Amino acid sequence: MDTIASLFSFITWPVSWVIVQFHKLYGAIFGPDTGWAWGLSIVSLVVLIRICLIPLFVKQIKSTRNMQALQPKMKAIQERYKSDKQRQSEEMMKLYKETGTNPLSSCLPILAQSPFFFALYHVLSGIASGKTIGVINQPLLESAQKAHIFGAPLAAKFTDSAHKVESLGATLTDVRVITAIMIVMMSASQFFTQRQLMTKNVDLSVKTPFMQQQKMLMYVFPVMFAVMGINFPVGVLVYWLTTNVWTMGQQMFVINQNPTPGSKAQASYLERLSKSVAAHSDVRGKRRRAVVQAIVAKGPDRNDNERKFITGLAKQGFAAQADGSVIKSDVAVAEAEGAAPKRQQPKRQTKAQRQSGAQQGAADAEDEAKTSLDKGTSDEESEAKQDAPQNAKAKQAAKPASGTARSKAQSGQRKGQQRPKHPSKK
């Protein structure tokens, strides 16, 4: 570890300078030789580094989600070019280029943080061995050696001998108890961070090898930290525990506010958004409007969580718009989404109600029949009286022609031009 740390000696001076500046601030409050002053200086160094790494963290999130979305296509390429590894690599690189995905982006925060980690390890190793390093001069070196965090010296390690620990003004039991607790906390925070990523912020509708890899790393990383942690000084354990807690909080914020589409976190987020719309009759906040706008733009490509969100808005009487806002709507948006309206069952009647209804219906039908019969009879009589003179004239005019028509009907002849008969029928 010392050999690796020496490779990053070029950044030792900036790291030691930052620690000394924070030590001046906290030393004025807690005292220059206290563990609080030196411990908080290391914590502040972590916070400063992680703030500078936020752009890389955002890029890491985008890269991880792009990799999750590309897993089905990558699997198809691997199966298609199973026997041609070179063509498989070419198609993979082509896919990354078309989608703008960089597989190394998910490792950028860790890679960018590594030099600071090893530089801090180099500084603390120098303090443990009594060597001035960077801007830490002899007075600061003596002050750092006196600093104890809950009874453990800042530069002590779990594997140190009793003689070395005593030279730093502590007991071996105190050092091992404190370092063991910090190693357990460091591994637990790493496990919890990875677990909440796998259980809440992964699209469960797509089963890919990427999910299996992440699940494996969820158990591998904590074990690695536990094994490596016994060789870390207490100050480095403070550094690594702080960065793990920062990562866990940062991950919780992302899961809560910007979840992966199709995940359980997205379902919870859209449920909260639906309740907010119902309470205020509006989508509050630019970021929330952007989320609704993206869901509307997807159209039929929405996942189950997004379809449920749109249907829930429709049941509340709202319709999502293309600009991310919502309006009051009397139209059944659920029907437009393909949801069939529920049939309303008639109320069940008692036997007495059914019998009385049947008797009443029969009576009404009988009355209606009598009314229509009487009306039909009176209408026929009046029509007969009106048409009697005309019918008499029509009968007189039709008498001469009736015989001719009857004779033509009997002979089978048609009106108009007749077709000549076949010679065999004459």
Side-chain angles (χ1 to χ4, degrees):
M1 184 66 73
D2 292 333
T3 304
I4 299 175
S6 62
L7 297 176
F8 296 93
S9 58
F10 65 93
I11 204 172
T12 300
W13 193 92
V15 169
S16 61
W17 184 84
V18 171
I19 292 177
V20 168
Q21 301 309 311
F22 281 120
H23 177 260
K24 290 180 180 178
L25 173 64
Y26 295 119
I29 300 173
F30 302 102
D33 299 336
T34 60
W36 286 102
W38 286 100
L40 289 176
S41 299
I42 296 173
V43 171
S44 300
L45 173 68
V46 175
V47 173
L48 180 62
I49 293 173
R50 294 309 298 266
I51 290 175
C52 295
L53 294 179
I54 285 178
L56 293 180
F57 179 75
V58 174
K59 187 175 291 187
Q60 179 192 20
I61 293 174
K62 292 181 179 179
S63 176
T64 303
R65 292 187 179 179
N66 289 339
M67 290 295 292
Q68 290 176 351
L70 291 178
Q71 287 300 313
K73 295 182 179 180
M74 293 170 62
K75 187 176 181 181
I77 291 174
Q78 291 173 354
E79 293 178 353
R80 185 175 181 181
Y81 303 103
K82 188 181 299 183
S83 59
D84 192 350
K85 297 297 182 181
Q86 183 177 357
R87 183 65 184 278
Q88 186 181 116
S89 301
E90 292 175 356
E91 292 296 326
M92 287 288 190
M93 296 303 295
K94 184 179 178 181
L95 180 63
Y96 292 149
K97 187 176 181 180
E98 289 176 354
T99 56
T101 304
N102 185 3
L104 297 178
S105 296
S106 58
C107 303
L108 284 178
I110 296 177
L111 294 176
Q113 194 177 347
S114 297
F116 299 96
F117 170 78
F118 287 112
L120 178 62
Y121 183 89
H122 194 44
V123 170
L124 294 174
S125 297
I127 293 173
S129 59
K131 298 178 182 178
T132 58
I133 186 169
V135 299
I136 299 180
N137 51 27
Q138 190 64 32
L140 289 172
L141 177 63
E142 294 175 357
S143 175
Q145 287 181 335
K146 294 177 183 178
H148 290 65
I149 298 177
F150 301 109
L154 198 67
K157 293 185 288 186
F158 184 88
T159 55
D160 284 344
S161 62
H163 176 71
K164 187 174 182 179
V165 171
E166 289 175 0
S167 65
L168 295 173
T171 62
L172 186 61
T173 303
D174 292 340
V175 170
R176 290 191 173 179
V177 169
I178 296 300
T179 53
I181 292 174
M182 296 181 72
I183 290 170
V184 170
M185 292 175 64
M186 183 176 64
S187 301
S189 59
Q190 178 68 33
F191 176 80
F192 183 78
T193 301
Q194 197 70 18
R195 186 177 183 276
Q196 70 175 351
L197 178 65
M198 288 298 302
T199 57
K200 295 183 179 180
N201 207 37
V202 173
D203 187 358
L204 300 177
S205 61
V206 180
K207 303 295 183 181
T208 62
F210 180 77
M211 295 176 61
Q212 298 297 327
Q213 295 173 5
Q214 292 294 318
K215 189 175 182 179
M216 181 180 66
L217 293 177
M218 181 173 65
Y219 297 98
V220 171
F221 275 155
V223 175
M224 288 176 58
F225 278 113
V227 173
M228 296 171 60
I230 61 175
N231 295 311
F232 290 162
V234 173
V236 174
L237 292 177
V238 171
Y239 175 93
W240 207 248
L241 177 60
T242 305
T243 193
N244 279 1
V245 172
W246 176 282
T247 302
M248 183 173 61
Q250 195 169 243
Q251 187 70 52
M252 290 177 65
F253 176 80
V254 171
I255 291 175
N256 188 54
Q257 299 298 325
N258 190 19
T260 300
S263 63
K264 291 183 180 180
Q266 189 197 31
S268 301
Y269 176 81
L270 293 179
E271 185 177 356
R272 296 194 304 270
L273 180 56
S274 180
K275 291 180 180 179
S276 176
V277 172
H280 304 100
S281 300
D282 191 16
V283 181
R284 293 193 168 186
K286 292 183 179 180
R287 187 182 54 76
R288 290 186 172 184
R289 284 178 178 267
V291 171
V292 177
Q293 184 177 3
I295 292 175
V296 173
K298 286 185 178 181
D301 296 332
R302 300 173 190 138
N303 57 47
D304 293 339
N305 296 333
E306 294 163 348
R307 283 192 288 269
K308 185 178 179 181
F309 171 70
I310 295 296
T311 304
L313 290 181
K315 290 180 180 179
Q316 296 172 5
F318 296 102
Q321 302 300 300
D323 61 350
S325 62
V326 294
I327 60 172
K328 282 283 187 179
S329 176
D330 297 330
V331 181
V333 182
E335 293 182 7
E337 290 291 327
K342 293 183 179 180
R343 296 179 60 185
Q344 294 183 354
Q345 297 292 338
K347 294 182 178 179
R348 188 173 182 178
Q349 296 180 345
T350 62
K351 185 176 180 180
Q353 289 176 341
R354 289 196 298 270
Q355 290 177 353
S356 62
Q359 293 174 359
Q360 183 67 29
D364 293 342
E366 185 178 355
D367 293 341
E368 186 177 355
K370 288 180 179 180
T371 304
S372 61
L373 181 62
D374 294 341
K375 185 178 180 181
T377 305
S378 60
D379 291 343
E380 289 178 359
E381 290 177 354
S382 60
E383 288 179 0
K385 290 178 181 180
Q386 291 177 0
D387 296 340
Q390 296 179 0
N391 292 336
K393 294 179 181 181
K395 287 180 180 179
Q396 293 176 359
K399 281 181 180 180
S402 61
T404 307
R406 188 179 296 109
S407 62
K408 288 183 179 180
Q410 291 175 354
S411 62
Q413 296 180 354
R414 301 177 183 176
K415 293 182 180 181
Q417 187 176 1
Q418 300 295 321
R419 188 171 61 184
K421 293 183 179 180
H422 196 272
S424 63
K425 294 181 180 182
K426 287 183 181 181

PDB file of all heavy atoms in Angstrom, residues 189-210:
ATOM      1  N   SER A 189     -22.393   0.465   5.185  1.00  0.00           N
ATOM      2  CA  SER A 189     -22.859   1.583   4.358  1.00  0.00           C
ATOM      3  C   SER A 189     -22.691   1.280   2.875  1.00  0.00           C
ATOM      4  O   SER A 189     -23.555   1.629   2.054  1.00  0.00           O
ATOM      5  CB  SER A 189     -22.097   2.865   4.724  1.00  0.00           C
ATOM      6  OG  SER A 189     -20.698   2.697   4.524  1.00  0.00           O
ATOM      7  N   GLN A 190     -21.608   0.606   2.520  1.00  0.00           N
ATOM      8  CA  GLN A 190     -21.401   0.212   1.129  1.00  0.00           C
ATOM      9  C   GLN A 190     -22.463  -0.797   0.681  1.00  0.00           C
ATOM     10  O   GLN A 190     -23.022  -0.697  -0.417  1.00  0.00           O
ATOM     11  CB  GLN A 190     -20.004  -0.390   0.964  1.00  0.00           C
ATOM     12  CG  GLN A 190     -19.691  -0.872  -0.444  1.00  0.00           C
ATOM     13  CD  GLN A 190     -19.588   0.255  -1.433  1.00  0.00           C
ATOM     14  OE1 GLN A 190     -19.157   1.350  -1.075  1.00  0.00           O
ATOM     15  NE2 GLN A 190     -19.990   0.009  -2.659  1.00  0.00           N
ATOM     16  N   PHE A 191     -22.773  -1.770   1.538  1.00  0.00           N
ATOM     17  CA  PHE A 191     -23.781  -2.775   1.217  1.00  0.00           C
ATOM     18  C   PHE A 191     -25.158  -2.145   1.073  1.00  0.00           C
ATOM     19  O   PHE A 191     -25.905  -2.449   0.132  1.00  0.00           O
ATOM     20  CB  PHE A 191     -23.807  -3.849   2.307  1.00  0.00           C
ATOM     21  CG  PHE A 191     -24.881  -4.881   2.121  1.00  0.00           C
ATOM     22  CD1 PHE A 191     -24.712  -5.926   1.226  1.00  0.00           C
ATOM     23  CD2 PHE A 191     -26.068  -4.812   2.845  1.00  0.00           C
ATOM     24  CE1 PHE A 191     -25.704  -6.875   1.044  1.00  0.00           C
ATOM     25  CE2 PHE A 191     -27.063  -5.743   2.679  1.00  0.00           C
ATOM     26  CZ  PHE A 191     -26.875  -6.790   1.772  1.00  0.00           C
ATOM     27  N   PHE A 192     -25.511  -1.244   1.996  1.00  0.00           N
ATOM     28  CA  PHE A 192     -26.831  -0.615   1.952  1.00  0.00           C
ATOM     29  C   PHE A 192     -26.975   0.249   0.706  1.00  0.00           C
ATOM     30  O   PHE A 192     -28.051   0.288   0.085  1.00  0.00           O
ATOM     31  CB  PHE A 192     -27.052   0.229   3.212  1.00  0.00           C
ATOM     32  CG  PHE A 192     -28.413   0.858   3.281  1.00  0.00           C
ATOM     33  CD1 PHE A 192     -29.522   0.115   3.657  1.00  0.00           C
ATOM     34  CD2 PHE A 192     -28.595   2.196   2.971  1.00  0.00           C
ATOM     35  CE1 PHE A 192     -30.772   0.687   3.717  1.00  0.00           C
ATOM     36  CE2 PHE A 192     -29.847   2.778   3.027  1.00  0.00           C
ATOM     37  CZ  PHE A 192     -30.939   2.020   3.408  1.00  0.00           C
ATOM     38  N   THR A 193     -25.908   0.960   0.328  1.00  0.00           N
ATOM     39  CA  THR A 193     -25.952   1.787  -0.874  1.00  0.00           C
ATOM     40  C   THR A 193     -26.218   0.944  -2.108  1.00  0.00           C
ATOM     41  O   THR A 193     -27.059   1.285  -2.958  1.00  0.00           O
ATOM     42  CB  THR A 193     -24.631   2.557  -1.041  1.00  0.00           C
ATOM     43  OG1 THR A 193     -24.417   3.377   0.107  1.00  0.00           O
ATOM     44  CG2 THR A 193     -24.658   3.429  -2.281  1.00  0.00           C
ATOM     45  N   GLN A 194     -25.510  -0.169  -2.225  1.00  0.00           N
ATOM     46  CA  GLN A 194     -25.684  -1.042  -3.384  1.00  0.00           C
ATOM     47  C   GLN A 194     -27.037  -1.743  -3.347  1.00  0.00           C
ATOM     48  O   GLN A 194     -27.666  -1.959  -4.398  1.00  0.00           O
ATOM     49  CB  GLN A 194     -24.552  -2.074  -3.417  1.00  0.00           C
ATOM     50  CG  GLN A 194     -24.374  -2.774  -4.755  1.00  0.00           C
ATOM     51  CD  GLN A 194     -23.819  -1.852  -5.816  1.00  0.00           C
ATOM     52  OE1 GLN A 194     -23.266  -0.805  -5.491  1.00  0.00           O
ATOM     53  NE2 GLN A 194     -23.992  -2.229  -7.073  1.00  0.00           N
ATOM     54  N   ARG A 195     -27.503  -2.081  -2.157  1.00  0.00           N
ATOM     55  CA  ARG A 195     -28.777  -2.801  -2.033  1.00  0.00           C
ATOM     56  C   ARG A 195     -29.954  -1.921  -2.424  1.00  0.00           C
ATOM     57  O   ARG A 195     -30.870  -2.371  -3.123  1.00  0.00           O
ATOM     58  CB  ARG A 195     -28.950  -3.308  -0.599  1.00  0.00           C
ATOM     59  CG  ARG A 195     -30.177  -4.195  -0.417  1.00  0.00           C
ATOM     60  CD  ARG A 195     -30.262  -4.742   0.990  1.00  0.00           C
ATOM     61  NE  ARG A 195     -31.390  -5.641   1.136  1.00  0.00           N
ATOM     62  CZ  ARG A 195     -32.626  -5.247   1.395  1.00  0.00           C
ATOM     63  NH1 ARG A 195     -32.890  -3.952   1.565  1.00  0.00           N
ATOM     64  NH2 ARG A 195     -33.608  -6.124   1.495  1.00  0.00           N
ATOM     65  N   GLN A 196     -29.964  -0.671  -1.969  1.00  0.00           N
ATOM     66  CA  GLN A 196     -31.076   0.200  -2.330  1.00  0.00           C
ATOM     67  C   GLN A 196     -31.067   0.515  -3.825  1.00  0.00           C
ATOM     68  O   GLN A 196     -32.120   0.746  -4.426  1.00  0.00           O
ATOM     69  CB  GLN A 196     -31.033   1.498  -1.513  1.00  0.00           C
ATOM     70  CG  GLN A 196     -29.913   2.453  -1.853  1.00  0.00           C
ATOM     71  CD  GLN A 196     -30.012   3.753  -1.075  1.00  0.00           C
ATOM     72  OE1 GLN A 196     -31.016   4.009  -0.404  1.00  0.00           O
ATOM     73  NE2 GLN A 196     -28.994   4.583  -1.175  1.00  0.00           N
ATOM     74  N   LEU A 197     -29.881   0.484  -4.432  1.00  0.00           N
ATOM     75  CA  LEU A 197     -29.797   0.660  -5.873  1.00  0.00           C
ATOM     76  C   LEU A 197     -30.431  -0.517  -6.601  1.00  0.00           C
ATOM     77  O   LEU A 197     -31.132  -0.342  -7.609  1.00  0.00           O
ATOM     78  CB  LEU A 197     -28.333   0.816  -6.292  1.00  0.00           C
ATOM     79  CG  LEU A 197     -28.048   0.971  -7.794  1.00  0.00           C
ATOM     80  CD1 LEU A 197     -28.641   2.268  -8.311  1.00  0.00           C
ATOM     81  CD2 LEU A 197     -26.561   0.918  -8.055  1.00  0.00           C
ATOM     82  N   MET A 198     -30.217  -1.734  -6.090  1.00  0.00           N
ATOM     83  CA  MET A 198     -30.722  -2.935  -6.751  1.00  0.00           C
ATOM     84  C   MET A 198     -32.204  -3.172  -6.494  1.00  0.00           C
ATOM     85  O   MET A 198     -32.926  -3.638  -7.366  1.00  0.00           O
ATOM     86  CB  MET A 198     -29.923  -4.150  -6.282  1.00  0.00           C
ATOM     87  CG  MET A 198     -28.516  -4.218  -6.829  1.00  0.00           C
ATOM     88  SD  MET A 198     -28.490  -4.340  -8.623  1.00  0.00           S
ATOM     89  CE  MET A 198     -29.431  -5.832  -8.875  1.00  0.00           C
ATOM     90  N   THR A 199     -32.678  -2.879  -5.299  1.00  0.00           N
ATOM     91  CA  THR A 199     -34.057  -3.195  -4.947  1.00  0.00           C
ATOM     92  C   THR A 199     -35.050  -2.105  -5.310  1.00  0.00           C
ATOM     93  O   THR A 199     -36.234  -2.383  -5.507  1.00  0.00           O
ATOM     94  CB  THR A 199     -34.165  -3.462  -3.431  1.00  0.00           C
ATOM     95  OG1 THR A 199     -33.673  -2.314  -2.713  1.00  0.00           O
ATOM     96  CG2 THR A 199     -33.346  -4.682  -3.048  1.00  0.00           C
ATOM     97  N   LYS A 200     -34.600  -0.865  -5.426  1.00  0.00           N
ATOM     98  CA  LYS A 200     -35.530   0.244  -5.651  1.00  0.00           C
ATOM     99  C   LYS A 200     -35.332   0.957  -6.981  1.00  0.00           C
ATOM    100  O   LYS A 200     -36.290   1.497  -7.529  1.00  0.00           O
ATOM    101  CB  LYS A 200     -35.414   1.270  -4.521  1.00  0.00           C
ATOM    102  CG  LYS A 200     -35.838   0.748  -3.160  1.00  0.00           C
ATOM    103  CD  LYS A 200     -35.754   1.850  -2.122  1.00  0.00           C
ATOM    104  CE  LYS A 200     -36.193   1.347  -0.755  1.00  0.00           C
ATOM    105  NZ  LYS A 200     -36.125   2.417   0.279  1.00  0.00           N
ATOM    106  N   ASN A 201     -34.104   0.998  -7.486  1.00  0.00           N
ATOM    107  CA  ASN A 201     -33.823   1.863  -8.629  1.00  0.00           C
ATOM    108  C   ASN A 201     -33.383   1.082  -9.865  1.00  0.00           C
ATOM    109  O   ASN A 201     -32.578   1.565 -10.653  1.00  0.00           O
ATOM    110  CB  ASN A 201     -32.737   2.881  -8.261  1.00  0.00           C
ATOM    111  CG  ASN A 201     -32.855   4.151  -9.074  1.00  0.00           C
ATOM    112  OD1 ASN A 201     -33.953   4.609  -9.378  1.00  0.00           O
ATOM    113  ND2 ASN A 201     -31.729   4.735  -9.431  1.00  0.00           N
ATOM    114  N   VAL A 202     -33.913  -0.130 -10.040  1.00  0.00           N
ATOM    115  CA  VAL A 202     -33.614  -0.946 -11.209  1.00  0.00           C
ATOM    116  C   VAL A 202     -34.924  -1.281 -11.903  1.00  0.00           C
ATOM    117  O   VAL A 202     -35.923  -1.585 -11.247  1.00  0.00           O
ATOM    118  CB  VAL A 202     -32.869  -2.240 -10.810  1.00  0.00           C
ATOM    119  CG1 VAL A 202     -32.708  -3.167 -12.000  1.00  0.00           C
ATOM    120  CG2 VAL A 202     -31.500  -1.904 -10.237  1.00  0.00           C
ATOM    121  N   ASP A 203     -34.920  -1.198 -13.237  1.00  0.00           N
ATOM    122  CA  ASP A 203     -36.103  -1.542 -14.019  1.00  0.00           C
ATOM    123  C   ASP A 203     -36.357  -3.040 -13.906  1.00  0.00           C
ATOM    124  O   ASP A 203     -35.625  -3.857 -14.467  1.00  0.00           O
ATOM    125  CB  ASP A 203     -35.885  -1.138 -15.485  1.00  0.00           C
ATOM    126  CG  ASP A 203     -37.148  -1.310 -16.322  1.00  0.00           C
ATOM    127  OD1 ASP A 203     -38.164  -1.784 -15.772  1.00  0.00           O
ATOM    128  OD2 ASP A 203     -37.120  -0.983 -17.518  1.00  0.00           O
ATOM    129  N   LEU A 204     -37.399  -3.404 -13.182  1.00  0.00           N
ATOM    130  CA  LEU A 204     -37.689  -4.816 -12.927  1.00  0.00           C
ATOM    131  C   LEU A 204     -38.349  -5.509 -14.105  1.00  0.00           C
ATOM    132  O   LEU A 204     -38.489  -6.733 -14.109  1.00  0.00           O
ATOM    133  CB  LEU A 204     -38.601  -4.936 -11.697  1.00  0.00           C
ATOM    134  CG  LEU A 204     -38.026  -4.364 -10.385  1.00  0.00           C
ATOM    135  CD1 LEU A 204     -39.057  -4.471  -9.276  1.00  0.00           C
ATOM    136  CD2 LEU A 204     -36.746  -5.078 -10.003  1.00  0.00           C
ATOM    137  N   SER A 205     -38.778  -4.743 -15.127  1.00  0.00           N
ATOM    138  CA  SER A 205     -39.433  -5.351 -16.279  1.00  0.00           C
ATOM    139  C   SER A 205     -38.438  -5.980 -17.248  1.00  0.00           C
ATOM    140  O   SER A 205     -38.826  -6.713 -18.146  1.00  0.00           O
ATOM    141  CB  SER A 205     -40.271  -4.296 -17.020  1.00  0.00           C
ATOM    142  OG  SER A 205     -39.450  -3.244 -17.496  1.00  0.00           O
ATOM    143  N   VAL A 206     -37.151  -5.660 -17.085  1.00  0.00           N
ATOM    144  CA  VAL A 206     -36.116  -6.194 -17.970  1.00  0.00           C
ATOM    145  C   VAL A 206     -35.130  -7.001 -17.133  1.00  0.00           C
ATOM    146  O   VAL A 206     -34.477  -6.461 -16.235  1.00  0.00           O
ATOM    147  CB  VAL A 206     -35.379  -5.058 -18.721  1.00  0.00           C
ATOM    148  CG1 VAL A 206     -34.315  -5.636 -19.637  1.00  0.00           C
ATOM    149  CG2 VAL A 206     -36.364  -4.209 -19.508  1.00  0.00           C
ATOM    150  N   LYS A 207     -35.009  -8.272 -17.409  1.00  0.00           N
ATOM    151  CA  LYS A 207     -34.059  -9.142 -16.719  1.00  0.00           C
ATOM    152  C   LYS A 207     -32.809  -9.289 -17.584  1.00  0.00           C
ATOM    153  O   LYS A 207     -32.872  -9.819 -18.694  1.00  0.00           O
ATOM    154  CB  LYS A 207     -34.679 -10.524 -16.466  1.00  0.00           C
ATOM    155  CG  LYS A 207     -35.972 -10.481 -15.671  1.00  0.00           C
ATOM    156  CD  LYS A 207     -35.750  -9.979 -14.254  1.00  0.00           C
ATOM    157  CE  LYS A 207     -37.041 -10.012 -13.446  1.00  0.00           C
ATOM    158  NZ  LYS A 207     -36.852  -9.504 -12.073  1.00  0.00           N
ATOM    159  N   THR A 208     -31.707  -8.766 -17.104  1.00  0.00           N
ATOM    160  CA  THR A 208     -30.467  -8.765 -17.885  1.00  0.00           C
ATOM    161  C   THR A 208     -29.300  -9.268 -17.030  1.00  0.00           C
ATOM    162  O   THR A 208     -29.367  -9.267 -15.799  1.00  0.00           O
ATOM    163  CB  THR A 208     -30.147  -7.345 -18.382  1.00  0.00           C
ATOM    164  OG1 THR A 208     -29.947  -6.497 -17.246  1.00  0.00           O
ATOM    165  CG2 THR A 208     -31.276  -6.796 -19.220  1.00  0.00           C
ATOM    166  N   PRO A 209     -28.196  -9.674 -17.683  1.00  0.00           N
ATOM    167  CA  PRO A 209     -27.005 -10.074 -16.920  1.00  0.00           C
ATOM    168  C   PRO A 209     -26.426  -8.936 -16.097  1.00  0.00           C
ATOM    169  O   PRO A 209     -25.759  -9.172 -15.091  1.00  0.00           O
ATOM    170  CB  PRO A 209     -26.025 -10.507 -18.021  1.00  0.00           C
ATOM    171  CG  PRO A 209     -26.875 -10.873 -19.179  1.00  0.00           C
ATOM    172  CD  PRO A 209     -28.056  -9.948 -19.111  1.00  0.00           C
ATOM    173  N   PHE A 210     -26.697  -7.687 -16.513  1.00  0.00           N
ATOM    174  CA  PHE A 210     -26.196  -6.534 -15.762  1.00  0.00           C
ATOM    175  C   PHE A 210     -26.729  -6.532 -14.337  1.00  0.00           C
ATOM    176  O   PHE A 210     -26.022  -6.185 -13.390  1.00  0.00           O
ATOM    177  CB  PHE A 210     -26.603  -5.250 -16.481  1.00  0.00           C
ATOM    178  CG  PHE A 210     -26.146  -3.992 -15.795  1.00  0.00           C
ATOM    179  CD1 PHE A 210     -24.831  -3.566 -15.891  1.00  0.00           C
ATOM    180  CD2 PHE A 210     -27.035  -3.233 -15.052  1.00  0.00           C
ATOM    181  CE1 PHE A 210     -24.411  -2.415 -15.262  1.00  0.00           C
ATOM    182  CE2 PHE A 210     -26.627  -2.080 -14.420  1.00  0.00           C
ATOM    183  CZ  PHE A 210     -25.305  -1.658 -14.530  1.00  0.00           C
TER     184      PHE A 210
END
